[in-house]
Amino acid sequence: MRDFYQEPVPGGVSERLWKENQDLARMSLHHPFVQGLGDGTLDSAAFQTYMAQDTLYLNGYIRTLSYCIAKSDVTATGGDLLALLDGVGDELKACHQHYIDNPDATGPEAACRKYVDFLLAIGQAADLGPSVVIAAVIPCARLYAWIGKELTMGKEISEDHPFRRWLLSYSDEPINTSAKILESLLDKQIRPGEFGEVAQAYRRAMELEYDFFDSFGGCLGRPSEGTMKIPTVLIVSGSDSGGGAGHQADLKTLEALGVYSTSALTSITAQNTKGVQQIQVVNEDIFAAQMNSVTSDFEVSVVKLGLVPTARQLEIVGEKLAELPMVVDPVLVATSGDDLVAQKNAEDVLAMYKERIFPRATIITPNVVEAERILGRKEISGVYEARAAAQALAQYGSKYVLLKGGHDETDPKACRDVLYDREKDEFYEFTNRRIATINTHGTGCTLASAISAFMARGYPVPVAVERAIGYLHEVIVRSCGVPLGQGTNRPLVHSANSVWANYV
């Protein structure tokens, strides 16, 4: 699909507002309702209700745009806003009427009424200038354009996708143009001293957008047997008694990203924010039985492999799960620096990874320390050495290698992850601001699980990696300063709705 999406113009007020509200944007994107729209698993009755309510909302949105015209300098902005009004009208006729005949049959429900009342109150307020009104209507256009891009990026939407028309409409040029027009007007019209009111209106509209999606959570419906496939990941990893890494981090990540998780525990660890105190390996028979139980009953989309502390367990994984897409996080060392694979087993474990697991893996996700152990080389630092190391790791057979940059401190301000596509011989680089925090326990587990979640939802590996890195960055930012544990290796806060999310 052609990508029409453009970010707000750099340096403007609109860009600042969009960046400051990324938490709500991502909450909306990852809402099960929105994800169901993207992958086609949303119950059709819920979608019909949503479209009817959205049509009623857009009627109020058009009225608010009219207030924008009335309050603005018509000679400078009237033409653009009138064109925008026509565009919203076209959307009503095309996309919405494609799915529903009579949106007025039910009347506006609470979330719709609340959002429309907010917009109209802003538009009618005599003491609020046009910039505040424009700020209140931007989130609808910007958020939908971004969600449309995120749900379709790297995908071809099949002709039989139940929500194909919706996805095409909200990833197309008109919705992106609407966002750009409004943002351009805001950047031009905002006056000194208005930013506080503008930011408040923008934020409130973003909150109401999320509430609108969330209002349909109770009517997702129960689909008939066989009408939908629920993305399911089989986690093969060790338990972390402190809840920060391992199996617990995997479960939290998959839950946050709307994917069902099943389990095969490899080990039970006694660990906390101070380090790893003890490890007990799970008996081979019960380890194999767990995988048999899951695969004989569930349709597993992806396997996520974490800590597997013995060569025999890795061999069993190769025997039982060889035909499934596999995300392999070759966990050898905890974030605290503690060895998780006994020294006496290390060589056998590395050999089994290379012989049985990596050749079957869709993607492997070692950090720099693990890559150095696997390759038997020291001091992988900088992007060029990372690229060379990723290529070398790919020779063991995985389709992709993601070499994580968190342990490479060559650049103290940035963290660079390198993804290598072996079949295409192509590199992708992902750069994020390095965050000074001690809440990093379980970052590797979280990233690999997030990749498996997005793969389970059907995203190509490079897109899944990009989105997973974005999720991890968001989680690290949210977790900064959360005082869980007494050590220097503290856990992450995965859910934006967690009681800890607003602790600090």
Side-chain angles (χ1 to χ4, degrees):
M1 290 184 60
R2 185 177 175 186
D3 183 9
F4 293 101
Y5 184 79
Q6 291 181 322
E7 289 285 345
V9 174
V13 170
S14 297
E15 183 195 39
R16 177 180 173 183
L17 292 170
W18 177 238
K19 286 184 175 180
E20 289 180 353
N21 286 275
Q22 280 298 290
D23 57 336
L24 289 168
R26 292 190 178 279
M27 283 172 60
S28 295
L29 174 65
H30 296 308
H31 194 284
F33 181 89
V34 175
Q35 291 293 310
L37 271 174
D39 60 25
T41 59
L42 181 66
D43 181 64
S44 60
F47 181 71
Q48 289 288 320
T49 302
Y50 158 74
M51 290 300 286
Q53 291 298 302
D54 197 43
T55 301
L56 297 173
Y57 159 78
L58 285 172
N59 287 328
Y61 188 82
I62 289 173
R63 291 174 61 192
T64 307
L65 288 176
S66 300
Y67 289 121
C68 286
I69 294 175
K71 290 190 174 190
S72 297
D73 180 350
V74 176
T75 58
T77 64
D80 286 339
L81 286 171
L82 286 170
L84 191 58
L85 275 173
D86 289 340
V88 175
D90 289 342
E91 179 191 330
L92 272 170
K93 294 174 186 176
C95 181
H96 288 64
Q97 291 183 8
H98 176 77
Y99 289 106
I100 54 175
D101 296 322
N102 184 15
D104 298 314
T106 58
E109 296 180 359
C112 176
R113 189 182 307 111
K114 190 174 183 180
Y115 198 172
V116 170
D117 287 349
F118 162 75
L119 291 178
L120 295 180
I122 290 280
Q124 294 167 356
D127 59 335
L128 295 178
S131 296
V132 182
V133 186
I134 294 170
V137 296
I138 286 176
C140 176
R142 170 54 61 192
L143 182 63
Y144 269 73
W146 181 71
I147 285 176
K149 183 262 295 188
E150 289 290 308
L151 293 180
T152 59
M153 184 169 56
K155 293 184 175 181
E156 289 297 328
I157 308 303
S158 65
E159 294 289 341
D160 59 352
H161 192 296
F163 314 121
R164 173 182 168 83
R165 183 64 177 271
W166 189 95
L167 291 169
L168 294 179
S169 293
Y170 286 105
S171 59
D172 203 358
E173 191 169 16
I175 186 69
N176 285 276
T177 300
S178 298
K180 298 294 285 185
I181 289 173
L182 289 168
E183 288 167 344
S184 175
L185 293 176
L186 177 60
D187 290 347
K188 291 175 182 176
Q189 292 203 20
I190 189 169
R191 294 175 295 196
E194 281 190 321
F195 182 78
E197 290 179 331
V198 163
Q200 186 176 5
Y202 191 105
R203 179 73 178 180
R204 184 57 182 148
M206 287 290 289
E207 291 171 344
L208 290 167
E209 284 289 345
Y210 177 82
D211 291 346
F212 192 75
F213 289 130
D214 196 50
S215 69
F216 303 101
C219 65
L220 291 177
R222 185 178 181 84
S224 303
E225 188 76 20
T227 61
M228 68 182 288
K229 177 185 176 182
I230 298 175
T232 301
V233 171
L234 169 55
I235 306 165
V236 182
S237 62
S239 174
D240 172 0
S241 58
H247 201 72
Q248 284 77 358
D250 298 332
L251 290 169
K252 293 171 186 176
T253 301
L254 294 168
E255 178 73 17
L257 296 177
V259 173
Y260 186 74
S261 54
T262 57
S263 304
L265 283 174
T266 63
S267 53
I268 299 170
T269 71
Q271 61 177 299
N272 51 30
T273 62
K274 300 177 182 180
V276 180
Q277 290 80 46
Q278 192 172 342
I279 300 175
Q280 177 65 54
V281 176
V282 169
N283 175 277
E284 293 169 4
D285 290 338
I286 190 63
F287 174 61
Q290 292 176 84
M291 288 183 283
N292 288 338
S293 293
V294 171
T295 56
S296 65
D297 188 29
F298 295 88
E299 187 175 352
V300 175
S301 310
V302 177
V303 175
K304 186 270 177 179
L305 206 63
L307 172 62
V308 186
T310 72
R312 177 55 187 149
Q313 284 186 337
L314 285 170
E315 187 176 24
I316 293 171
V317 169
E319 294 169 355
K320 301 287 184 183
L321 307 175
E323 303 305 316
L324 292 169
M326 192 179 297
V327 177
V328 178
D329 184 19
V331 178
L332 303 172
V333 181
T335 308
S336 61
D338 294 298
D339 284 325
L340 293 171
V341 176
Q343 287 295 324
K344 64 180 181 179
N345 298 329
E347 291 304 316
D348 290 341
V349 167
L350 285 174
M352 192 60 68
Y353 267 124
K354 295 173 183 178
E355 294 171 13
R356 295 290 185 91
I357 302 301
F358 292 165
R360 294 175 168 84
T362 306
I363 180 172
I364 65 173
T365 65
N367 59 35
V368 168
V369 175
E370 290 157 349
E372 289 174 346
R373 282 202 181 185
I374 294 166
L375 295 173
R377 64 174 69 170
K378 296 291 184 181
E379 298 181 358
I380 299 172
S381 62
V383 67
Y384 295 108
E385 289 188 18
R387 283 187 168 208
Q391 277 185 314
L393 288 164
Q395 299 308 307
Y396 293 113
S398 65
K399 294 178 181 178
Y400 293 87
V401 174
L402 176 66
L403 186 55
K404 298 175 291 191
H407 290 74
D408 180 3
E409 298 183 356
T410 306
D411 185 341
K413 295 184 178 180
C415 177
R416 292 183 176 85
D417 302 301
V418 174
L419 176 67
Y420 178 63
D421 180 337
R422 179 173 59 85
E423 293 179 354
K424 294 183 179 179
D425 191 27
E426 290 182 355
F427 288 96
Y428 305 81
E429 292 179 16
F430 308 95
T431 302
N432 278 289
R433 175 173 55 88
R434 190 178 292 274
I435 301 165
T437 178
I438 60 173
N439 291 80
T440 58
H441 187 42
T443 48
C445 305
T446 296
L447 179 58
S449 291
I451 293 170
S452 69
F454 288 118
M455 284 175 54
R457 285 200 168 275
Y459 290 94
V461 172
V463 179
V465 169
E466 180 182 29
R467 296 187 68 167
I469 290 172
Y471 170 78
L472 175 61
H473 187 77
E474 173 192 343
V475 167
I476 294 174
V477 170
R478 182 189 302 134
S479 306
C480 287
V482 176
L484 288 169
Q486 302 173 37
T488 58
N489 189 31
R490 294 180 179 176
L492 302 171
V493 176
H494 287 263
S495 173
N497 297 319
S498 167
V499 294
W500 298 106
N502 299 312
Y503 186 88
V504 293

